[in-house]
Amino acid sequence: MSASREIRNVAIVAHVDHGKTTLVDSMFQYAGTFRQNQAVQERAMDTDAQERERGITILAKNTAIEYHGTRINIVDTPGHADFGGQVERTLSMADAVLLLVDSFEGPMPQTRFVLRKAFEHGLKALVMINKIDRPDARPNAVLDEVFDLFVELGAHDEQLEFPVVYGSGRDGYAMDEFDDKVKDLGPLFTMLMEHVPAPPMDSEAPLQFQAVTLDRDDFLGRIAIGRVQRGTLSVGTRYALTHPDRDKYPTAPVKKLFRYEGLQRVPVEQVFAGDIAVVSGIEDMNIGDTLCPIEQPDPLPAIELDEPTISMVFYVNNSPFAGQEGKFVTSRQILDRLDRAAARDVALLVGKTQGADAFEVKGRGVMHLGVLIENMRREGFEFCVGKPHVIIKDIDGQDCEPYERASVEVPTDFAGKIIEYLGRRRGELVHMEPLASMCKIDFKIPARGLIGARTALLTLSQGEAILSHVFESWEPDGGPIPRRTTGVLVADRTGDVVAYALDGLQDRGDFFVAPGAPVYEGMVVGANNKDGDLPLNVCRAKKLTNMRASGRDDNAKIAPPRIFSLEESLEYVEDDELLEVTPTSLRLRKRVLNADLRKKAIKRG
Ligand SMILES: Nc1nc2c(ncn2[C@@H]2O[C@H](COP(=O)(O)OP(=O)(O)OP(=O)(O)O)[C@@H](O)[C@H]2O)c(=O)[nH]1
Ligand SMILES: [Mg+2]
């Protein structure tokens, strides 16, 4: 290992599902990163349990590929808008971005977001028109759209002359022209080698290493990943842990030092300027901190991200079944866990509220918070959360709310319904474009208008609509937006749900619970067909004398319950309700459990 090795640092960015992680698989393959017989799973970089289940990348991750004597450090970033903070903070590790664009879909909301961020960082973008194997690929038109997007985002001349390859990440090839002969990924690697600027490699200068990602390992403790901006990072050396907001700097030794090689972290003695390093053993290191020589502290600017747009309150569970299903239930345990999450994810902010047993958590969207909630319940936590709210920001004395750019792809026949629905939610149509038998409709819409919209759009389009959206700007309050139009069915007592009772109540609405499920007074058990909330008895058993005579199988006749996913629950819950989350259950409940007390509370306003 020497300081003069060639290095390229690139972040792969794109809209969700445009094929980033799959492309990295093929890059490993092409560069011979794995042994011939090594078993590697598909989308090898998506190692987190929720990433594999949801089929999306959630956390930005580093890897490195050796190619003809050059070390290519790669960040695979998430494409879903809720994890945009991951993209933003990892861009400081890159000298250029590789922008993937689906050859059919063209640029989508998150394509615009990540490209804008790359330009804000002064980075050059290299383009790959991906999934060229698609029968409906329209590479020429997509390239034009990409060019227009560059212009619209104010790319300067040099950025506008972006290099392009066409290819299929999945099938492992890239071409300079889309009608070239299909061969391998060579043209992509050539483009990276030629157009990603080599990093400054001043390894004699005083060290600056900034932590961009934090991780934790049972053996190594806290792990910080970042780039050696200048100088040389050496194992065993004690450095100052600096940050522009602090004027006193603690010092700490680097206990272990690693670099990426494929999916591995390989121990090394030193990492030189321009390269990506993994540091372990500095428990106090946070994202944005810079390691410097003790005698020459010179912190890099803090990492600044877009502000969160969604806020939600986490409560200690006070439901009647509290403590039955979870291991970690106290406010201290919950706060400690939330603080740990915020340390690793700078797009997540945790604050106190007035109540001692309630904490406000702010993030980028319902799925951003949903992933945290899901991780917590898997670890054994139990708690309640309230309805997510958009954050209101005061700009020059005016209340402003987040607006998003939303894009809906839908068969043209449903376009009218979609435009009408989002119009009612204050969505303004900004662009519409035919895509074969589909069309892509872009809106500017308050983030509020999109909460719960995904389910509604699916219903309106017989399951066909694909919605994606990303933060665009803060704008003055857009006015009232219709929320859930009907009330809920609420259990009026504690017990187990009985099929016979549900059977008798089926005309009231759709139930969320199945026979046998334990319920408590105040728990939401279904959607009311009408306005207002309706308390009812779902535990009523059939009188024994009728049993034999009727001989009916109540179970067979009742409709299966409507089961919400976590995110659907978060979009459904209203202000006077909570979502109770435990390792095994998600229960919607009224904040005030007793029906009489609820009425009084409503009267009091
Ligand atoms: N036809 C075709 N499908 C592809 C190609 N690359 C990826 N896919 C498919 O597209 C889907 C998404 O692929 P991913 O690699 O997870 O996309 P991603 O950009 O990493 O997605 P996020 O990380 O969630 O933003 C998967 O179903 C892949 O099989 C390709 O070149 N051609
Ligand atoms: Mg991915």
Side-chain angles (χ1 to χ4, degrees), residues 506-524:
Q506 287 204 72
D507 56 347
R508 301 297 189 157
D510 295 334
F511 282 94
F512 307 156
V513 288
V519 296
Y520 50 80
E521 180 184 10
M523 184 169 143
V524 173

Side-chain angles (χ1 to χ4, degrees), residues 517-574:
V519 296
Y520 50 80
E521 180 184 10
M523 184 169 143
V524 173
V525 292
N528 190 356
N529 282 337
K530 300 204 176 118
D531 273 359
D533 296 342
L534 182 66
L536 33 80
N537 180 4
V538 287
C539 309
R540 188 154 61 105
K542 195 188 291 192
K543 288 212 185 71
L544 279 175
T545 47
N546 291 342
M547 196 98 91
R548 236 165 254 279
S550 79
R552 294 187 318 185
D553 182 353
D554 300 316
N555 258 317
K557 289 196 301 131
I558 52 175
R562 191 161 135 197
I563 305 290
F564 287 123
S565 69
L566 172 60
E567 274 97 43
E568 283 164 353
S569 307
L570 293 174
E571 303 209 320
Y572 189 82
V573 67
E574 273 299 349

Side-chain angles (χ1 to χ4, degrees), residues 265-446:
R265 289 171 176 155
V266 177
V268 289
E269 294 292 312
Q270 290 187 310
V271 179
F272 303 104
D275 209 347
I276 306 299
V278 183
V279 167
S280 86
I282 306 185
E283 284 301 315
D284 295 333
M285 189 145 194
N286 284 309
I287 291 177
D289 287 353
T290 308
L291 291 183
C292 296
I294 294 170
E295 59 287 358
Q296 275 166 296
D298 185 10
L300 287 160
I303 293 176
E304 290 197 13
L305 301 189
D306 281 356
E307 290 162 78
T309 52
I310 293 271
S311 137
M312 206 154 96
V313 179
F314 283 55
Y315 301 88
V316 169
N317 190 8
N318 69 353
S319 306
F321 298 164
Q324 292 182 6
E325 293 165 349
K327 269 193 302 196
F328 307 114
V329 297
T330 67
S331 72
R332 262 195 62 167
Q333 287 166 329
I334 294 170
L335 179 61
D336 179 56
R337 179 63 182 81
L338 293 174
D339 282 340
R340 267 189 286 137
R344 279 189 60 176
D345 179 356
V346 271
L348 199 71
L349 300 179
V350 175
K352 286 235 158 59
T353 63
Q354 276 108 357
D357 288 345
F359 311 105
E360 187 184 21
V361 180
K362 296 180 186 172
R364 287 286 183 88
V366 172
M367 196 195 278
H368 187 199
L369 299 179
V371 165
L372 169 66
I373 292 172
E374 185 60 39
N375 276 333
M376 288 175 69
R377 68 188 284 233
R378 288 177 189 201
E379 291 162 23
F381 281 87
E382 184 177 311
F383 49 94
C384 286
V385 291
K387 171 182 152 176
H389 282 273
V390 303
I391 289 168
I392 303 295
K393 193 169 135 178
D394 182 326
I395 300 178
D396 299 332
Q398 191 168 26
D399 280 350
C400 290
E401 64 172 326
Y403 269 65
E404 309 252 326
R405 185 169 179 112
S407 187
V408 186
E409 273 175 89
V410 71
T412 313
D413 291 352
F414 298 113
K417 281 187 187 167
I418 303 288
I419 295 170
E420 193 208 321
Y421 174 80
L422 290 177
R424 263 188 281 133
R425 304 187 138 227
R426 311 224 168 232
E428 180 198 328
L429 197 156
V430 289
H431 187 73
M432 190 163 162
E433 184 169 299
L435 282 181
S437 64
M438 312 269 284
C439 63
K440 183 160 89 175
I441 321 171
D442 288 356
F443 299 86
K444 192 173 152 192
I445 182 167

Side-chain angles (χ1 to χ4, degrees), residues 25 35 49 59 88 120 136 142 144 148 168 173 189 202 267 300 327 381 394 491 507 529-530 535 581 596 599:
D25 286 351
R35 291 188 318 275
L59 304 162
E88 282 187 81
E120 281 171 17
D136 48 5
V142 166
D144 287 345
D148 291 347
S168 167
Y173 62 84
F189 278 90
D202 185 1
L300 287 160
K327 269 193 302 196
F381 281 87
D394 182 326
D507 56 347
N529 282 337
K530 300 204 176 118
V581 180
D596 293 332
K599 268 190 217 136

